[in-house]
Amino acid sequence: MSRPDVIDFGGDGPPVLLLHGLMGRATTWWPVARWLTAYGHVRGLDARGHGNSPHRGGGWHTADFVADAAELLAGPSEPTVVIGHSMGALHAIALAAGHPDLVRGLVLEDVGIDLRGRTVDNWRALFDAWPVPFRSLAHVRDFFGPAGDYFAQCVEKRADGYHLIAAPQDLFDVAAEWGERDYWDLVERVCCPVLVIEAEQSVMPPGQQAAIPHRAPGGGTHVIAPGSYHLVHDSASEFYRGAVEAFLSDLLSG
């Protein structure tokens, strides 16, 4: 299947799908995909409003993102290992809950399950403080510091400089749903094994991520990555890799 919103990272064997976080895109998974291809055929999906996704305009709900992923996964002949970060991890949970036949296992990175009360006003304030347009990719990397390489892939060049590929209003529309409901009902329908990797400096409410493997019928493991921030697979890459490889070795050996 050739689609502008799908990146095929290669590899042979069981299917693996990567789902990025808010503001990101599939290509940001490249450092992870390089070693993941030893475990299977790895693909990444640009979420609606992000990267090369043809879906633009806002007004979406979690179910819409899940439908996109489910459509993509309908092709493989066997269930897929789904690996998600933040927003992508939430979509992975919803995918496993609604389409258990499509998902073999989940890796969830710093995900929020109950963010009720948080509003998009915090996001607006954050974006308003950014020096957009950025003057160059070096400016992007300098501004975002340790996460600079990640965000350099999330911008595009326009006439006046570099802007986020994802339109801020689209991002606000996506995040608005998270402050209105919790997703424990979906967690409690996940029947496949789960690995939860929480950032030591997580932006998510304390205690929630540790509860996921206990409330999901499929069970699993929760770990905290020492010295990491929200983007765990970047800030604690070796720890992240070790945890994921151990999980996959066990999951795929059966």
Side-chain angles (χ1 to χ4, degrees):
M1 179 184 297
S2 178
R3 290 172 40 171
D5 56 343
V6 175
I7 301 296
D8 191 328
F9 291 105
D12 296 312
V16 179
L17 179 65
L18 302 172
L19 301 178
H20 63 78
L22 194 70
M23 294 186 286
R25 63 184 308 185
T27 56
T28 59
W29 283 108
W30 168 243
V32 173
R34 284 186 299 173
W35 52 263
L36 265 181
T37 53
Y39 294 88
H41 179 196
V42 183
R43 293 182 294 174
L45 175 65
D46 282 337
R48 294 180 173 222
H50 297 72
N52 290 325
S53 172
H55 297 283
R56 290 294 193 270
W60 309 305
H61 298 283
T62 298
D64 299 311
F65 293 94
V66 172
D68 292 338
E71 179 185 22
L72 178 63
L73 297 190
S77 58
E78 59 182 299
T80 298
V81 177
V82 183
I83 299 176
H85 169 241
S86 193
M87 175 186 78
L90 177 61
H91 295 165
I93 291 171
L95 178 65
H99 304 271
D101 56 315
L102 297 180
V103 182
R104 184 172 188 172
L106 295 180
V107 176
L108 310 174
E109 177 186 350
D110 216 40
V111 61
I113 304 300
D114 186 353
L115 303 180
R116 286 176 295 175
R118 294 190 183 184
T119 70
V120 296
D121 292 339
N122 291 334
W123 286 101
R124 293 183 192 277
L126 175 66
F127 290 169
D128 287 345
W130 290 1
V132 178
F134 294 95
R135 301 305 176 190
S136 66
L137 290 178
H139 186 193
V140 173
R141 290 189 172 93
D142 180 68
F143 180 79
F144 288 105
D149 287 340
Y150 178 91
F151 279 99
Q153 296 188 69
C154 302
V155 297
E156 62 183 0
K157 187 176 183 180
R158 301 177 189 168
D160 59 346
Y162 288 83
H163 296 254
L164 279 176
I165 298 173
Q169 187 56 54
D170 287 352
L171 300 176
F172 300 150
D173 288 346
V174 172
E177 182 187 276
W178 304 339
E180 298 171 353
R181 59 157 295 185
D182 70 84
Y183 296 88
W184 286 115
D185 61 316
L186 299 181
V187 171
E188 291 167 353
R189 291 163 52 197
V190 173
C191 296
C192 63
V194 178
L195 170 64
V196 182
I197 305 177
E198 182 174 355
E200 185 176 53
Q201 302 173 45
S202 178
V203 297
M204 301 304 175
Q208 290 187 15
Q209 297 186 71
I212 293 174
H214 300 287
R215 296 184 64 166
T221 304
H222 164 260
V223 296
I224 297 177
S228 62
Y229 56 83
H230 182 54
L231 195 63
V232 181
H233 67 266
D234 186 53
S235 58
S237 58
E238 290 304 312
F239 181 93
Y240 178 90
R241 177 175 180 174
V244 173
E245 288 191 322
F247 176 75
L248 292 179
S249 295
D250 184 59
L251 179 70
L252 301 177
S253 64

